């Protein structure tokens, strides 16, 4: 997980089994990376970065699911 002990990615369903790394870029934004999917997101705080990452991972998983369902019709 990250070096920031105050945040817990497993609080988000989409990140429950994820290998998440948190870092801060040169502009002070917090970046959250899911090492398994390669999806990244950012936020003003570590919590915001994780929340955004969870939403991005959910979208990624929906987009890459094997079953297209009837939504494509």
């Amino acid at each position: 997980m990250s070096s920031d002990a105050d945040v817990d990615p497993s609080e988000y369903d989409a990140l429950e089994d994820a290998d998440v790394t948190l870092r801060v870029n040169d502009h002070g934004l917090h970046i959250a990376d899911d090492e398994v999917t390669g999806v990244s997101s950012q936020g003003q705080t570590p919590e915001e970065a994780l929340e955004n990452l969870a939403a991005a991972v959910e979208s990624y998983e929906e987009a890459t699911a094997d079953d297209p369902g009837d939504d494509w019709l």
Side-chain angles (χ1 to χ4, degrees), residues 8-55:
D8 183 6
S10 66
E11 292 178 11
Y12 302 92
D13 290 340
L15 303 178
E16 194 169 55
D17 297 322
D19 182 13
V20 176
T21 302
L22 283 171
R23 56 193 166 88
V24 179
N25 71 9
D26 294 338
H27 303 287
L29 286 173
H30 295 268
I31 311 296
D33 302 304
D34 179 0
E35 302 298 333
V36 175
T37 63
V39 175
S40 296
S41 194
Q42 65 185 21
Q44 295 294 325
T45 64
E47 294 82 5
E48 187 178 318
L50 283 176
E51 183 177 334
N52 293 338
L53 180 63

Side-chain angles (χ1 to χ4, degrees), residues 60-69 72:
Y60 172 85
E61 289 174 348
E62 289 174 8
T64 58
D66 288 337
D67 180 20
W72 65 274

